[in-house]
Amino acid sequence: MRRTSKLILLGLTGLLMNSTANAQWTGPKTKPKERIEVKYGPITPKHRTDEAMEAFRNYGLGQFIHWGLYAIPGNEWEGVSARGGAAASEWIRTWSGPNAPKNWKEIYDNLYKQFNPTAFSAKKWAKQAKDMGAKYMIFTTKHHDGYALWPTKYSSYNISNSPYKKDIVKEVVDAYNAEGIDVYLYFSILEWNNPDYLSKAPETEEEKKRYNRFLQYTKNQLLELLQNYPTIKGFWFDGTWDKSWVQAYEFTYNLEKELREKHPGLIIGSRFRNDEHGKRHFDSNGDILGDYEQGWERKLPQEYEWLDGNDWDAVMTIPPNGWGYMKDWSGIYTKTTDDILDMLMHTVSLNGNFVLNFGPDGKGLMHPGEDKIAKELGDWMEVNGEAVHGVRHADLPKTKMGYLTQKDSTIYLTVFNRPVNNLARLAFPKKSTALPISAKLLLNNKELTIKHADIGLDLDKNTYFDIVLPKDFQTDRAFVIKIKLGQPKIKSDKLMDAKM
């Protein structure tokens, strides 16, 4: 791992250990010691083995796109940005206080009259994603502001009443499918401008009537999305933390069942709903609610054991918390391609999918910084993608050089910290039945020499293999060594162990 990447991850970990917002986590989850009765627990079995779920496990790299009315302000308004007191880009409608514009919410809610992304090309987006190496994408159909990017029949606050008028969700789904990229739809439950939405649990009869209308509206929109875009693979839910939604556990349980019945193989993350005891992501017995862990937002697990065998994805921004479009990236640290590669390989080495976020502007163009990273990431993936796609966690001792992934009898070592002596040493348990028999660099297909290094540490359960890197091999980015496993002819002398 390069020093800059290491510092970033350490800093990220430190910050995240102090945050418990929205039931997301930063460490191993403690399971209850005793099981209790849970009526509204998981619907699908843990570790699904159907075709759709196996495809999910093989993605490796994905793309998230946050796009909506918030792209017009671009994280600022009249010269005031989030750093000057405004809310984050996609949250900017919530801006209040002395430096907020007068009648700000009214101004924001009327931005749809300006939404006309004349430079938008879903085909260009999809081509860029394919060139980057993405195997799936997540697209925001509707964020917390409630504005729908498809012509929904259940609200007039949608794309058909903008100057653009065309169905953006359809354009995106069709373009990405044409490039062979699976599409998942982001959908926010929370809606700030919906008069029927409540954040608190409804108490009076009038509140219950209002919120029940909202629940039916939400159900109608989700079923509409399934009907309009039948090729989608799943939903990525957000805005499910308010008490109103938490107390609607019977409704949400039945809604999930209906969605799955309408769309066999549908994949839903753990953040959609909770059990009758209010437990989100995992029910009161510690069983996952959904098909994969959805709590790794701008954070990464540090140990494979933290995941308890669950599928998962990590969604990551390039600016520190920039999901929607940010005009100005100056004065803040934005992740480099090297940072992103480090996080990508960290993720896939722990059986996760890494999903990189893009926030296009109001015209439909990616930020120049995003274009640069997409190009550099794509160049790297073109050479090294086999170490990312369709790989699994390698059950081997950790290495300080970088990350290990595995595909059948092939191990991939992605090197971020190159040894100064050019000997890439890997540890294998002595009981291993498959050991390195050949190795090569993916960057130039150069075959590398392997030497058995029987160090002779007392009571050591491992044996070691050195892969010799050419002294004249130079690269300014992480590189991958592809290692074939088999049964090499090695012999270790049996010497007397120390008596202690």
Side-chain angles (χ1 to χ4, degrees):
M1 187 185 304
R2 294 185 177 185
R3 180 174 174 78
T4 53
S5 301
K6 189 172 184 179
L7 289 173
I8 290 161
L9 281 176
L10 287 173
L12 199 65
T13 302
L15 285 171
L16 296 170
M17 292 304 287
N18 294 320
S19 171
T20 57
N22 298 339
Q24 296 174 14
W25 51 91
T26 56
K29 291 157 289 286
T30 304
K31 285 196 172 186
K33 293 181 179 179
E34 295 182 1
R35 294 183 67 87
I36 64 171
E37 182 180 355
V38 175
K39 185 176 180 181
Y40 299 97
I43 291 172
T44 52
K46 189 175 181 180
H47 310 311
R48 283 170 48 184
T49 57
D50 55 276
E51 184 179 352
M53 204 66 212
E54 288 295 343
F56 178 90
R57 295 184 182 108
N58 289 330
Y59 291 141
L61 176 62
Q63 179 191 46
F64 210 144
I65 294 182
H66 273 72
W67 201 36
L69 298 184
Y70 41 87
I72 296 174
N75 199 47
E76 63 181 57
W77 193 260
E78 296 178 346
V80 180
S81 70
R83 283 168 281 176
S89 178
E90 70 284 356
W91 281 75
I92 199 166
R93 187 188 181 273
T94 64
W95 190 5
S96 61
N99 67 349
K102 187 178 180 181
N103 301 324
W104 170 242
K105 288 180 175 58
E106 184 180 347
I107 293 171
Y108 183 92
D109 288 346
N110 281 281
L111 288 177
Y112 75 93
K113 298 174 183 177
Q114 304 175 36
F115 194 63
N116 189 23
T118 53
F120 165 57
S121 170
K123 291 181 179 179
K124 287 183 179 179
W125 285 8
K127 180 64 165 57
Q128 182 182 59
K130 183 175 183 178
D131 290 345
M132 188 179 76
K135 294 295 186 181
Y136 75 122
M137 71 90 68
I138 305 165
F139 183 69
T140 47
T141 62
K142 175 176 71 78
H143 211 274
H144 306 331
D145 58 10
Y147 185 71
L149 293 181
W150 82 99
T152 176
K153 296 183 294 185
Y154 302 101
S155 167
S156 60
Y157 197 43
N158 73 67
I159 194 65
S160 63
N161 292 317
S162 72
Y164 187 74
K165 296 188 181 302
K166 291 179 285 185
D167 184 346
I168 285 175
V169 175
K170 184 179 190 309
E171 291 186 77
V172 168
V173 172
D174 289 349
Y176 278 77
N177 284 170
E179 292 289 358
I181 298 173
D182 288 346
V183 178
Y184 290 67
L185 297 182
Y186 168 106
F187 184 93
S188 171
I189 300 299
L190 183 158
E191 279 198 17
W192 290 319
N193 71 346
N194 190 321
D196 288 333
Y197 185 80
L198 290 172
S199 56
K200 70 181 185 74
E203 297 173 359
T204 68
E205 288 305 312
E206 176 58 27
E207 287 177 342
K208 291 176 182 177
K209 184 178 179 181
R210 280 173 51 201
Y211 197 68
N212 283 336
R213 275 200 307 266
F214 174 80
L215 291 176
Q216 187 59 48
Y217 155 80
T218 300
K219 174 181 175 179
N220 288 339
Q221 283 200 325
L222 288 170
L223 292 174
E224 182 181 47
L225 288 170
L226 286 183
Q227 182 176 4
N228 289 4
Y229 319 107
T231 63
I232 67 166
K233 303 301 181 182
F235 283 116
W236 202 99
F237 287 102
D238 201 4
T240 58
W241 50 78
D242 282 340
K243 290 183 178 179
S244 53
W245 187 258
V246 171
Q247 62 82 41
Y249 53 83
E250 184 175 7
F251 177 88
T252 58
Y253 177 86
N254 289 323
L255 176 56
E256 182 182 330
K257 286 183 69 175
E258 185 170 356
L259 293 174
R260 293 186 184 280
E261 288 166 2
K262 296 283 186 184
H263 195 298
L266 191 71
I267 293 174
I268 296 175
S270 65
R271 137 184 339 194
F272 178 51
R273 62 180 182 87
N274 51 270
D275 70 8
E276 64 266 39
H277 307 291
K279 294 293 185 181
R280 299 178 62 235
H281 292 281
F282 296 86
D283 73 5
S284 298
N285 291 317
D287 297 327
I288 192 168
L289 291 166
D291 301 311
Y292 65 96
E293 290 193 21
Q294 203 183 346
W296 301 104
E297 180 176 312
R298 293 191 303 120
K299 60 177 70 69
L300 298 173
Q302 297 303 302
E303 301 292 340
Y304 179 63
E305 290 72 23
W306 291 11
L307 298 155
D308 195 27
N310 294 322
D311 296 297
W312 65 286
D313 70 5
V315 292
M316 191 66 65
T317 59
I318 297 172
N321 191 24
W323 296 101
Y325 176 61
M326 292 176 63
K327 291 177 184 175
D328 184 10
W329 281 16
S330 65
I332 56 175
Y333 185 86
T334 54
K335 297 175 188 67
T336 66
T337 301
D338 293 315
D339 295 332
I340 290 161
L341 286 173
D342 194 302
M343 294 176 183
L344 166 65
M345 297 315 300
H346 180 123
T347 301
V348 295
S349 75
L350 301 182
N351 281 359
N353 293 320
F354 183 82
V355 189
L356 185 64
N357 182 74
F358 291 71
D361 66 15
K363 295 179 181 179
L365 297 173
M366 300 298 181
H367 191 285
E370 294 170 341
D371 285 336
K372 179 177 183 291
I373 285 175
K375 175 65 168 63
E376 293 177 351
L377 185 54
D379 289 345
W380 191 88
M381 287 290 291
E382 186 177 4
V383 174
N384 302 293
E386 64 178 281
V388 176
H389 298 140
V391 296
R392 297 291 182 267
H393 171 73
D395 189 19
L396 292 171
K398 284 185 177 181
T399 170
K400 296 177 182 178
M401 291 180 288
Y403 302 100
L404 295 164
T405 53
Q406 184 167 2
K407 187 183 299 178
D408 300 323
S409 61
T410 300
I411 295 287
Y412 298 94
L413 167 62
T414 305
V415 179
F416 287 85
N417 294 324
R418 180 173 178 170
V420 294
N421 64 359
N422 286 314
L423 296 179
R425 176 167 291 172
L426 291 178
F428 285 78
K430 287 180 178 177
K431 63 181 180 181
S432 296
T433 56
L435 295 168
I437 56 174
S438 68
K440 69 176 182 178
L441 293 166
L442 287 186
L443 187 59
N444 57 16
N445 283 319
K446 183 175 179 59
E447 295 289 337
L448 303 175
T449 300
I450 300 176
K451 296 180 178 180
H452 182 223
D454 196 1
I455 301 175
L457 297 175
D458 190 29
L459 305 180
D460 192 356
K461 295 181 180 180
N462 296 322
T463 189
Y464 302 86
F465 289 83
D466 289 343
I467 300 168
V468 183
L469 296 170
K471 291 182 179 180
D472 60 354
F473 169 63
Q474 297 295 323
T475 179
D476 59 359
R477 191 142 279 162
F479 60 93
V480 177
I481 302 172
K482 181 178 181 178
I483 305 156
K484 284 289 186 182
L485 302 181
Q487 295 181 328
K489 296 178 180 179
I490 61 171
K491 180 180 179 181
S492 297
D493 292 331
K494 179 64 176 176
L495 302 178
M496 183 177 291
D497 290 330
K499 303 297 181 183
M500 303 180 69

Short mmCIF file of all heavy atoms in Angstrom, two decimals, residues 6-40:
data_model
loop_
_atom_site.label_atom_id
_atom_site.label_comp_id
_atom_site.label_asym_id
_atom_site.label_seq_id
_atom_site.Cartn_x
_atom_site.Cartn_y
_atom_site.Cartn_z
N LYS A 6 -2.40 4.59 2.50
CA LYS A 6 -2.46 4.06 3.86
C LYS A 6 -2.95 5.11 4.84
O LYS A 6 -3.80 4.86 5.69
CB LYS A 6 -1.08 3.54 4.27
CG LYS A 6 -1.08 2.78 5.58
CD LYS A 6 0.26 2.14 5.82
CE LYS A 6 0.24 1.29 7.09
NZ LYS A 6 1.53 0.64 7.31
N LEU A 7 -2.45 6.33 4.68
CA LEU A 7 -2.87 7.41 5.57
C LEU A 7 -4.35 7.71 5.41
O LEU A 7 -5.06 7.97 6.38
CB LEU A 7 -2.04 8.67 5.28
CG LEU A 7 -0.57 8.62 5.73
CD1 LEU A 7 0.17 9.84 5.24
CD2 LEU A 7 -0.47 8.50 7.25
N ILE A 8 -4.81 7.67 4.15
CA ILE A 8 -6.23 7.94 3.91
C ILE A 8 -7.09 6.90 4.59
O ILE A 8 -8.07 7.21 5.27
CB ILE A 8 -6.50 7.95 2.39
CG1 ILE A 8 -5.87 9.19 1.77
CG2 ILE A 8 -7.99 7.95 2.09
CD1 ILE A 8 -5.68 9.07 0.29
N LEU A 9 -6.73 5.61 4.43
CA LEU A 9 -7.53 4.55 5.03
C LEU A 9 -7.51 4.61 6.55
O LEU A 9 -8.52 4.40 7.21
CB LEU A 9 -7.04 3.18 4.55
CG LEU A 9 -7.51 2.77 3.16
CD1 LEU A 9 -6.88 1.45 2.78
CD2 LEU A 9 -9.02 2.68 3.10
N LEU A 10 -6.34 4.94 7.10
CA LEU A 10 -6.25 5.06 8.55
C LEU A 10 -7.11 6.21 9.05
O LEU A 10 -7.83 6.10 10.04
CB LEU A 10 -4.79 5.26 8.97
CG LEU A 10 -3.88 4.03 8.87
CD1 LEU A 10 -2.44 4.42 9.14
CD2 LEU A 10 -4.34 2.94 9.81
N GLY A 11 -7.05 7.33 8.33
CA GLY A 11 -7.87 8.48 8.71
C GLY A 11 -9.34 8.17 8.58
O GLY A 11 -10.16 8.52 9.42
N LEU A 12 -9.68 7.46 7.49
CA LEU A 12 -11.07 7.09 7.26
C LEU A 12 -11.57 6.21 8.39
O LEU A 12 -12.65 6.41 8.94
CB LEU A 12 -11.15 6.34 5.93
CG LEU A 12 -12.50 6.23 5.24
CD1 LEU A 12 -12.98 7.60 4.80
CD2 LEU A 12 -12.41 5.31 4.03
N THR A 13 -10.74 5.25 8.77
CA THR A 13 -11.13 4.34 9.84
C THR A 13 -11.33 5.09 11.15
O THR A 13 -12.30 4.86 11.87
CB THR A 13 -10.04 3.25 10.03
OG1 THR A 13 -9.88 2.56 8.79
CG2 THR A 13 -10.44 2.27 11.10
N GLY A 14 -10.42 6.04 11.44
CA GLY A 14 -10.55 6.81 12.68
C GLY A 14 -11.82 7.61 12.74
O GLY A 14 -12.52 7.65 13.75
N LEU A 15 -12.15 8.25 11.62
CA LEU A 15 -13.38 9.04 11.58
C LEU A 15 -14.60 8.16 11.73
O LEU A 15 -15.55 8.50 12.45
CB LEU A 15 -13.47 9.79 10.24
CG LEU A 15 -12.56 11.01 10.08
CD1 LEU A 15 -12.61 11.48 8.64
CD2 LEU A 15 -12.98 12.12 11.03
N LEU A 16 -14.58 7.01 11.05
CA LEU A 16 -15.75 6.17 11.03
C LEU A 16 -16.01 5.48 12.36
O LEU A 16 -17.14 5.19 12.70
CB LEU A 16 -15.61 5.12 9.93
CG LEU A 16 -15.55 5.73 8.52
CD1 LEU A 16 -15.16 4.67 7.51
CD2 LEU A 16 -16.87 6.36 8.15
N MET A 17 -14.97 5.25 13.12
CA MET A 17 -15.16 4.60 14.40
C MET A 17 -15.95 5.48 15.36
O MET A 17 -16.50 5.01 16.35
CB MET A 17 -13.81 4.24 15.03
CG MET A 17 -13.04 3.14 14.28
SD MET A 17 -13.95 1.61 14.08
CE MET A 17 -13.91 1.00 15.75
N ASN A 18 -16.03 6.79 15.04
CA ASN A 18 -16.78 7.71 15.88
C ASN A 18 -18.18 7.97 15.35
O ASN A 18 -18.89 8.83 15.85
CB ASN A 18 -16.03 9.06 15.98
CG ASN A 18 -14.72 8.89 16.72
OD1 ASN A 18 -14.66 8.18 17.71
ND2 ASN A 18 -13.67 9.54 16.24
N SER A 19 -18.58 7.25 14.29
CA SER A 19 -19.86 7.53 13.66
C SER A 19 -20.75 6.29 13.69
O SER A 19 -20.34 5.22 13.34
CB SER A 19 -19.65 7.97 12.21
OG SER A 19 -20.87 8.05 11.54
N THR A 20 -21.99 6.48 14.11
CA THR A 20 -22.96 5.38 14.08
C THR A 20 -24.23 5.81 13.37
O THR A 20 -25.29 5.25 13.58
CB THR A 20 -23.32 4.94 15.52
OG1 THR A 20 -23.81 6.08 16.24
CG2 THR A 20 -22.11 4.37 16.23
N ALA A 21 -24.12 6.83 12.50
CA ALA A 21 -25.30 7.39 11.84
C ALA A 21 -25.99 6.35 10.99
O ALA A 21 -25.36 5.56 10.29
CB ALA A 21 -24.88 8.58 10.99
N ASN A 22 -27.33 6.38 11.04
CA ASN A 22 -28.16 5.57 10.17
C ASN A 22 -27.86 4.07 10.25
O ASN A 22 -27.96 3.35 9.26
CB ASN A 22 -28.03 6.04 8.71
CG ASN A 22 -28.51 7.47 8.55
OD1 ASN A 22 -29.27 7.97 9.37
ND2 ASN A 22 -28.08 8.13 7.50
N ALA A 23 -27.50 3.62 11.40
CA ALA A 23 -27.30 2.19 11.66
C ALA A 23 -26.23 1.57 10.78
O ALA A 23 -26.25 0.38 10.50
CB ALA A 23 -28.62 1.44 11.49
N GLN A 24 -25.30 2.35 10.32
CA GLN A 24 -24.17 1.79 9.58
C GLN A 24 -23.07 1.46 10.57
O GLN A 24 -23.03 2.00 11.67
CB GLN A 24 -23.71 2.78 8.51
CG GLN A 24 -24.79 3.01 7.46
CD GLN A 24 -24.42 4.08 6.49
OE1 GLN A 24 -23.28 4.48 6.44
NE2 GLN A 24 -25.38 4.55 5.73
N TRP A 25 -22.15 0.60 10.17
CA TRP A 25 -21.23 0.04 11.15
C TRP A 25 -19.79 0.09 10.68
O TRP A 25 -19.51 0.25 9.52
CB TRP A 25 -21.65 -1.38 11.50
CG TRP A 25 -21.86 -2.24 10.29
CD1 TRP A 25 -20.95 -3.02 9.67
CD2 TRP A 25 -23.07 -2.39 9.55
NE1 TRP A 25 -21.50 -3.66 8.60
CE2 TRP A 25 -22.80 -3.29 8.49
CE3 TRP A 25 -24.35 -1.86 9.68
CZ2 TRP A 25 -23.77 -3.68 7.57
CZ3 TRP A 25 -25.31 -2.24 8.75
CH2 TRP A 25 -25.02 -3.14 7.72
N THR A 26 -18.92 -0.07 11.64
CA THR A 26 -17.49 0.04 11.33
C THR A 26 -16.68 -1.08 11.95
O THR A 26 -15.45 -0.99 12.00
CB THR A 26 -16.95 1.39 11.87
OG1 THR A 26 -17.23 1.47 13.26
CG2 THR A 26 -17.58 2.55 11.15
N GLY A 27 -17.33 -2.11 12.42
CA GLY A 27 -16.60 -3.20 13.05
C GLY A 27 -17.40 -4.48 13.01
O GLY A 27 -18.46 -4.55 12.39
N PRO A 28 -16.92 -5.52 13.67
CA PRO A 28 -17.66 -6.79 13.69
C PRO A 28 -18.98 -6.61 14.41
O PRO A 28 -19.09 -5.86 15.38
CB PRO A 28 -16.72 -7.73 14.44
CG PRO A 28 -15.83 -6.84 15.23
CD PRO A 28 -15.68 -5.59 14.45
N LYS A 29 -19.99 -7.31 13.93
CA LYS A 29 -21.32 -7.20 14.53
C LYS A 29 -21.49 -8.29 15.59
O LYS A 29 -21.15 -9.45 15.35
CB LYS A 29 -22.38 -7.31 13.43
CG LYS A 29 -22.36 -6.08 12.52
CD LYS A 29 -22.96 -6.34 11.17
CE LYS A 29 -22.14 -7.23 10.28
NZ LYS A 29 -20.95 -6.58 9.71
N THR A 30 -21.96 -7.91 16.73
CA THR A 30 -22.17 -8.85 17.83
C THR A 30 -23.55 -9.47 17.71
O THR A 30 -24.56 -8.77 17.72
CB THR A 30 -22.04 -8.15 19.19
OG1 THR A 30 -20.76 -7.52 19.27
CG2 THR A 30 -22.18 -9.15 20.33
N LYS A 31 -23.60 -10.78 17.61
CA LYS A 31 -24.88 -11.46 17.50
C LYS A 31 -25.47 -11.71 18.89
O LYS A 31 -24.74 -11.91 19.85
CB LYS A 31 -24.72 -12.80 16.77
CG LYS A 31 -24.52 -12.64 15.26
CD LYS A 31 -24.75 -13.96 14.56
CE LYS A 31 -24.74 -13.78 13.05
NZ LYS A 31 -25.10 -15.02 12.34
N PRO A 32 -26.80 -11.67 18.99
CA PRO A 32 -27.44 -11.93 20.28
C PRO A 32 -27.09 -13.34 20.78
O PRO A 32 -26.91 -14.26 19.99
CB PRO A 32 -28.94 -11.82 19.96
CG PRO A 32 -29.02 -11.05 18.69
CD PRO A 32 -27.77 -11.37 17.93
N LYS A 33 -26.99 -13.48 22.09
CA LYS A 33 -26.65 -14.77 22.67
C LYS A 33 -27.81 -15.75 22.61
O LYS A 33 -27.62 -16.96 22.56
CB LYS A 33 -26.19 -14.58 24.12
CG LYS A 33 -24.87 -13.82 24.23
CD LYS A 33 -24.43 -13.69 25.67
CE LYS A 33 -23.10 -12.95 25.78
NZ LYS A 33 -22.66 -12.78 27.19
N GLU A 34 -29.03 -15.19 22.64
CA GLU A 34 -30.22 -16.05 22.59
C GLU A 34 -31.13 -15.57 21.47
O GLU A 34 -31.30 -14.38 21.26
CB GLU A 34 -30.97 -16.01 23.93
CG GLU A 34 -30.19 -16.59 25.09
CD GLU A 34 -30.99 -16.59 26.37
OE1 GLU A 34 -32.16 -16.14 26.34
OE2 GLU A 34 -30.46 -17.03 27.40
N ARG A 35 -31.71 -16.53 20.77
CA ARG A 35 -32.64 -16.18 19.70
C ARG A 35 -34.03 -15.93 20.27
O ARG A 35 -34.44 -16.56 21.25
CB ARG A 35 -32.70 -17.29 18.65
CG ARG A 35 -31.40 -17.46 17.88
CD ARG A 35 -31.52 -18.51 16.79
NE ARG A 35 -32.43 -18.09 15.72
CZ ARG A 35 -32.05 -17.38 14.67
NH1 ARG A 35 -30.78 -16.97 14.55
NH2 ARG A 35 -32.90 -17.05 13.73
N ILE A 36 -34.73 -14.97 19.63
CA ILE A 36 -36.10 -14.67 20.04
C ILE A 36 -37.01 -14.85 18.83
O ILE A 36 -36.54 -14.98 17.69
CB ILE A 36 -36.23 -13.24 20.59
CG1 ILE A 36 -35.91 -12.21 19.49
CG2 ILE A 36 -35.35 -13.03 21.80
CD1 ILE A 36 -36.22 -10.77 19.89
N GLU A 37 -38.29 -14.84 19.06
CA GLU A 37 -39.24 -14.98 17.96
C GLU A 37 -39.26 -13.69 17.13
O GLU A 37 -39.44 -12.60 17.67
CB GLU A 37 -40.64 -15.28 18.47
CG GLU A 37 -41.65 -15.48 17.34
CD GLU A 37 -43.05 -15.77 17.84
OE1 GLU A 37 -43.22 -15.92 19.07
OE2 GLU A 37 -43.96 -15.84 16.99
N VAL A 38 -39.06 -13.83 15.84
CA VAL A 38 -39.13 -12.70 14.91
C VAL A 38 -40.08 -13.09 13.79
O VAL A 38 -39.79 -14.01 13.01
CB VAL A 38 -37.73 -12.35 14.34
CG1 VAL A 38 -37.86 -11.25 13.29
CG2 VAL A 38 -36.79 -11.91 15.46
N LYS A 39 -41.17 -12.38 13.69
CA LYS A 39 -42.18 -12.69 12.69
C LYS A 39 -41.86 -12.04 11.34
O LYS A 39 -42.17 -12.58 10.29
CB LYS A 39 -43.56 -12.23 13.17
CG LYS A 39 -44.71 -12.62 12.26
CD LYS A 39 -46.05 -12.20 12.84
CE LYS A 39 -47.20 -12.58 11.91
NZ LYS A 39 -48.51 -12.15 12.46
N TYR A 40 -41.20 -10.87 11.40
CA TYR A 40 -40.95 -10.11 10.18
C TYR A 40 -39.44 -10.03 9.90
O TYR A 40 -38.88 -8.96 9.74
CB TYR A 40 -41.58 -8.72 10.29
CG TYR A 40 -43.08 -8.78 10.46
CD1 TYR A 40 -43.66 -8.69 11.74
CD2 TYR A 40 -43.91 -8.98 9.37
CE1 TYR A 40 -45.03 -8.77 11.90
CE2 TYR A 40 -45.28 -9.08 9.52
CZ TYR A 40 -45.84 -8.98 10.78
OH TYR A 40 -47.20 -9.06 10.94
#
